[in-house]
Amino acid sequence: MLSKFDYYKPVSLEKATEYLNENSETKILAGGTDLLISLQKNKERCKHILDIKAIPELNRFTYTEGRGYFIGAAITVNQISEEKLLREKYPAISQGADALGSYQVRNRATMVGNICNASPGADLAAPLLVYDAKVHIASSEGIRATDLCDFFTGVKKTILKPKDLVIGISIPDVERGDRSVYLRKSRIKGADLCNVAIALRINPENKLSIALGAVSTIPMRLFELERKIAERELTPELGDWLAAEIKTYINPRRDSIRSSPEYRYLITGVLAKRGLLKLIDKEGA
Amino acid sequence: MCDHEVKTNCFEYIDSQMPPVPLELNVNGESIYELIDPAMTLLDFLRVSLKLFGTKEGCREGECGACTVIMNGRAVPSCLILAIEAQGADIITVEGLSKNGELSILQQEFIKEDGLQCGFCTPGMLMSAKALLDRNPNPTVDEVKEAIAGNLCRCTGYKSIINAILSAAKREREALSNG
Ligand code: FES
Ligand code: FES
């Protein structure tokens, strides 16, 4: 590793934002499952490492009736997988957590890290998008919140500025009868990145939300498609229409080593239909 | 550290020359205090500083599982953790499995079921399997597969490894109920 860095692990949010303000070339370390790879391969360099795992606010993992979940930036993917109430209320999020990396990696990787790295195929992005998640960001100027759907700006790019620190992600509460599913296609069954990822959610008013991963430069929520769906009835027959229609919303890379765009167009349709049928309680696809 | 741009140095640890930092932790039941390079990974600390060569380096990118150790009860890839992040932690490596010269039940079952050939993946497999059995003494085949999905084996084939873990689980449960 060519980086020469020192290591700082503050125990308060104030100290962390202050440090970021004063030290450029700082990398924020949470789980480290992406950062340690790019540092050791010299893809990234830094002079300082800011370990955020000892900051109390970032270790918050709470549910409040009517307000939903707050998941701090130090919470690991396996902690999310193991949370029973979250699995009951937000199945797609737990399924996304189960699908990320390998068991060992999930013991270190964090949900917020997965989002901040902004890989187009980030497993937790699509599930969080269908739940209207918000990202809470601290800097020396104070704390602000932004909708996750406005957070990603490109491959591995977000709206975050160098002095920003994400504290956590909040997910609004859901009502009884709300259901969701996360489906993904990868080359092998075990630990592997995905070719296509889709999260679908139906709320008690029968409104369908859809988000996709790995088929464009950013994970995206398909608001326009959702509006078109809202004009139709949620029946099993809608599955074929959806499978065809959803393809017009994606833009898979030509040069991906994992699969051709043609394959991704096809699979996106297949998974969309399968997900819809799962949610409206019909087997098949 | 294996510097991928300086291939000749692959087996040598290159110190970053940053001021050393104090690290205190527990490895296989032994308290350890050392001054370390802040850029050193936990994997390098175990192998280079402590000369515990059981933990293997395969990919250094979290893909192969050869470097798996148990940190505060959880299986983790030691190649993606800075040693300094293990401040105050309890670490178990493959060297910590046997007691008084006797192999653990899990290790014995790996031998009995032919769960290894070259043995390179074995320390990582054992640590993933131990972490699984510690949290779930009666795992299904699918749960075993999930627990070792991040451990790659180039020679044995996974079937005998899965069998070894399942029969170790059985023996451990029996030992507990007879115990
Ligand atoms: S060496 Fe750590 S996972 Fe391969
Ligand atoms: S026994 Fe050789 S890699 Fe598994």
Side-chain angles (χ1 to χ4, degrees):
Chain A
M1 157 155 55
L2 299 176
S3 292
K4 295 181 188 307
F5 52 77
D6 49 26
Y7 170 90
Y8 177 52
K9 189 176 184 179
V11 289
S12 79
L13 187 56
E14 231 167 41
K15 287 225 168 79
T17 49
E18 223 168 77
Y19 187 85
L20 280 173
N21 227 7
E22 284 159 12
N23 297 280
S24 55
E25 292 184 65
T26 300
K27 287 276 172 207
I28 295 169
L29 170 65
T33 51
D34 284 307
L35 179 63
L36 268 278
I37 298 175
S38 36
L39 286 178
Q40 294 191 75
K41 294 195 162 186
N42 302 316
K43 282 187 189 157
E44 279 186 279
R45 304 261 191 113
C46 70
K47 289 199 173 139
H48 314 280
I49 292 273
L50 177 70
D51 186 339
I52 56 171
K53 290 191 285 291
I55 303 170
E57 288 93 327
L58 277 59
N59 282 287
R60 239 179 81 200
F61 187 8
T62 50
Y63 170 77
T64 325
E65 180 102 48
R67 296 183 62 185
Y69 266 98
F70 180 87
I71 303 177
I75 301 301
T76 66
V77 175
N78 266 348
Q79 278 176 282
I80 290 164
S81 274
E82 289 159 11
E83 174 79 7
K84 292 219 175 65
L85 182 66
L86 190 124
R87 190 171 290 274
E88 247 168 62
K89 286 184 160 277
Y90 311 85
I93 296 180
S94 303
Q95 290 158 8
D98 296 345
L100 190 149
S102 64
Y103 183 81
Q104 298 89 308
V105 166
R106 295 198 290 273
N107 269 337
R108 296 296 294 174
T110 61
M111 170 187 261
V112 168
N114 188 239
I115 296 306
C116 289
N117 262 299
S119 158
D123 273 301
L124 286 158
L128 286 169
L129 281 169
V130 294
Y131 283 108
D132 307 309
K134 275 193 163 44
V135 187
H136 299 259
I137 306 165
S139 73
S140 52
E141 280 142 40
I143 294 178
R144 64 189 197 274
T146 171
D147 288 324
L148 182 62
C149 58
D150 300 326
F151 184 73
F152 304 109
T153 55
V155 177
K156 303 239 154 201
K157 290 200 182 82
T158 67
I159 58 160
L160 290 177
K161 297 195 207 79
K163 287 168 185 167
D164 285 342
L165 172 65
V166 174
I167 321 170
I169 287 179
S170 62
I171 320 161
D173 204 358
V174 293
E175 279 165 41
R176 201 176 267 279
D178 200 294
R179 52 206 194 276
S180 68
V181 65
Y182 177 65
L183 299 172
R184 78 205 285 275
K185 182 86 190 109
S186 54
R187 289 165 300 178
I188 57 165
K189 253 202 230 152
D192 193 12
L193 301 173
C194 56
N195 288 320
V196 175
I198 184 167
L200 295 101
R201 167 189 175 203
I202 297 183
N203 78 1
E205 283 87 54
N206 257 344
K207 184 186 170 305
L208 184 74
S209 314
I210 305 185
L212 287 172
V215 289
S216 185
T217 51
I218 56 170
M220 53 186 182
R221 175 86 181 262
L222 304 181
F223 289 111
E224 200 189 314
L225 178 62
E226 289 173 17
R227 276 193 288 276
K228 284 193 192 163
I229 294 169
E231 294 161 8
R232 292 154 200 262
E233 229 181 297
L234 289 185
T235 59
E237 290 69 47
L238 190 70
D240 290 317
W241 174 85
L242 177 63
E245 187 71 17
I246 199 167
K247 293 175 192 170
T248 58
Y249 292 87
I250 69 177
N251 184 19
R253 277 169 61 189
R254 280 264 140 226
D255 55 346
S256 166
I257 49 162
R258 273 188 290 283
S259 60
S260 65
E262 291 74 17
Y263 182 74
R264 284 189 175 163
Y265 278 116
L266 182 78
I267 295 299
T268 305
V270 170
L271 292 185
K273 180 179 170 187
R274 189 176 298 167
L276 179 73
L277 295 189
K278 267 200 167 123
L279 287 186
I280 53 181
D281 240 338
K282 290 275 183 310
E283 284 303 318
Chain B
M1 173 154 307
C2 169
D3 200 308
H4 291 257
E5 286 177 12
V6 195
K7 287 276 191 284
T8 47
N9 281 324
C10 265
F11 295 100
E12 215 177 280
Y13 181 76
I14 306 166
D15 195 287
S16 77
Q17 307 293 326
M18 291 299 286
V21 288
L23 170 67
E24 226 178 322
L25 78 175
N26 190 298
V27 179
N28 299 328
E30 200 182 313
S31 305
I32 289 165
Y33 178 89
E34 265 193 52
L35 285 172
I36 60 154
D37 179 3
M40 189 177 225
T41 61
L42 179 59
L43 173 63
D44 285 324
F45 176 70
L46 294 170
R47 290 181 57 90
V48 178
S49 305
L50 301 187
K51 305 269 182 289
L52 292 172
F53 297 117
T55 307
K56 298 289 184 271
E57 174 184 335
C59 62
R60 221 174 246 283
E61 49 182 83
E63 292 285 342
C64 74
C67 68
T68 306
V69 301
I70 296 180
M71 178 165 158
N72 297 330
R74 288 185 175 263
V76 293
S78 63
C79 66
L80 298 186
I81 299 174
L82 291 173
I84 190 68
E85 290 183 84
Q87 190 75 266
D90 271 317
I91 307 280
I92 309 174
T93 68
V94 70
E95 287 90 347
L97 290 182
S98 63
K99 292 275 159 328
N100 307 322
E102 199 190 322
L103 295 179
S104 69
I105 292 178
L106 184 62
Q107 288 170 304
Q108 291 172 20
E109 290 306 310
F110 263 69
I111 296 171
K112 237 196 255 159
E113 297 286 338
D114 293 322
L116 63 149
Q117 284 187 25
C118 79
F120 193 85
C121 70
T122 315
M125 285 284 181
L126 286 167
M127 301 326 283
S128 288
K130 178 179 161 48
L132 168 70
L133 299 186
D134 287 349
R135 67 178 182 272
N136 177 3
N138 195 1
T140 62
V141 175
D142 282 344
E143 286 167 341
V144 172
K145 284 185 185 167
E146 185 57 37
I148 60 166
N151 294 83
L152 303 183
C153 176
R154 298 296 309 271
C155 32
T156 307
Y158 298 100
K159 217 162 176 193
S160 44
I161 294 174
I162 294 165
N163 288 343
I165 297 170
L166 288 171
S167 55
K170 190 158 166 254
R171 266 185 69 195
E172 281 179 11
R173 287 198 308 276
E174 284 165 6
L176 212 69
S177 58
N178 296 338

